[in-house]
Amino acid sequence: MNPAETISITAADGHRFDAGLFRAASAAAPVLIFLSALGTPSRVYRGFAAAMAGQGVHVCTPDWRGLASSSVRASRRHDHGYRALVEIDALALIEMLTERLPGSPVWIGGHSLGGQLSTLMAARQPDRVHGLLPIASGSVALSCYPPRLQRGIRTLGLVSRISGAMVGHFPGQRIGFGGREARGVMKDWVHVAHTGRYEPVGTAFNYERALAELAMPVLALNFKGDTWAPEAAASYLLGKLPQCQREQWTWGDADTGGQHLDHFSWTKHPQLLAPRIAAWLQAH
């Protein structure tokens, strides 16, 4: 595994967090910012990042606000939502990368919620982003899921409201969904589930309009064994990007040499993904 450089970043509001930078052999290689799933520390993606670097793509894996190296934790006193992640932390992150890797095309991708947030980051800063790479991601809109999972999503929404009122945060690590999350993050998540629209609390920016106007290459990779990010959810998210050059891969066991991959297990088999993804990014 390629050694990672750890970079400390301070956002405009004073929030501090670290990001791992896995460098490819060529300084001019494209750089991929890869965002974590809900409640998932960036160390989970080290194997994928190192494999991509070995295929000629720099990869940056940041810790999100409230997790791991972040200087804050979700609590009754500290709350944040999608707006802070996309409009404050992302700005500081992209500025840092463009200084360290001048001339490298910037791709943004992510896993699950990270893939959704990557599209919002691109919509917010389209002049700084070359393309998108959501993996095992898609909209959480209820209409994308079968009845059983719709009930599960509704239940999570109820739990987030109750726990937010009682303890000041969402204790995802205790119930097996995500991690310790801010009330605002879960409020934005639930809003997307019920409306299908990205309208983060507190923002003045029209993300839905910006997504519809966005024009850049997009590769979405999903897995047939993934119930949390089914093909319908990925298609719903891609449907918000009509001006983009979109390509959607949905892999089954036949696409991975018989290895069964699902919402999380793909992170343990990066060698199955990296060569094909890196080649696609380099061709676009």
Side-chain angles (χ1 to χ4, degrees):
M1 180 180 294
N2 295 348
E5 176 185 352
T6 300
I7 301 167
S8 295
I9 302 162
T10 301
D13 66 348
H15 171 232
R16 300 181 305 279
F17 62 103
D18 291 346
L21 179 58
F22 295 74
R23 292 181 181 265
S26 171
V31 57
L32 169 66
I33 299 171
F34 198 77
L35 311 179
S36 302
L38 185 72
T40 305
S42 65
R43 65 176 179 270
V44 170
Y45 306 98
R46 287 174 182 168
F48 173 67
M52 288 289 288
Q55 295 292 324
V57 177
H58 304 299
V59 180
C60 178
T61 55
D63 281 326
W64 275 115
R65 186 174 292 234
L67 298 176
S69 64
S70 170
S71 62
V72 301
R73 289 294 180 269
S75 65
R76 196 175 299 280
R77 293 178 60 187
H78 177 84
D79 189 27
H80 64 270
Y82 288 8
R83 189 190 70 81
L85 302 177
V86 172
E87 299 180 11
I88 301 176
D89 293 345
L91 178 61
L93 181 62
I94 292 175
E95 288 181 345
M96 177 275 296
L97 280 179
T98 54
E99 290 177 2
R100 287 180 177 260
L101 297 168
S104 291
V106 176
W107 289 75
I108 307 182
H111 175 206
S112 198
L113 177 60
Q116 297 179 61
L117 294 180
S118 73
T119 65
L120 302 187
M121 287 172 61
R124 192 70 177 86
Q125 302 186 64
D127 294 338
R128 295 188 174 193
V129 178
H130 181 80
L132 288 167
L133 177 69
I135 299 179
S137 183
S139 174
V140 73
L142 287 168
S143 60
C144 299
Y145 297 87
R148 179 181 63 84
L149 279 177
Q150 288 187 25
R151 290 192 293 272
I153 292 170
R154 292 181 187 277
T155 298
L156 287 168
L158 178 62
V159 170
S160 71
R161 289 194 295 272
I162 294 173
S163 62
M166 293 183 64
V167 300
H169 66 274
F170 175 71
Q173 76 283 7
R174 295 187 179 182
I175 64 175
F177 182 83
R180 178 173 178 146
E181 300 296 342
R183 288 163 287 158
V185 168
M186 295 307 299
K187 186 173 183 179
D188 286 331
W189 187 86
V190 171
H191 179 79
V192 176
H194 287 280
T195 68
R197 296 177 60 82
Y198 292 100
E199 298 166 323
V201 173
T203 190
F205 187 75
N206 188 328
Y207 282 96
E208 290 292 322
R209 182 173 62 195
L211 289 169
E213 295 173 351
L214 197 62
M216 61 181 57
V218 181
L219 172 61
L221 172 58
N222 293 80
F223 304 101
K224 292 180 181 178
D226 184 356
T227 56
W228 275 110
E231 186 173 10
S235 296
Y236 191 102
L237 182 60
L238 290 178
K240 292 183 176 290
L241 308 169
Q243 305 302 319
C244 289
Q245 179 188 349
R246 299 166 292 176
E247 192 163 333
Q248 185 174 2
W249 297 350
T250 306
W251 286 2
D253 295 357
D255 300 290
T256 55
Q259 178 65 55
H260 183 74
L261 300 182
D262 58 27
H263 196 59
F264 286 105
S265 65
W266 71 267
T267 63
K268 300 177 181 179
H269 302 278
Q271 74 282 358
L272 299 177
L273 283 67
R276 294 161 68 179
I277 291 175
W280 194 93
L281 266 59
Q282 290 158 351
H284 292 79

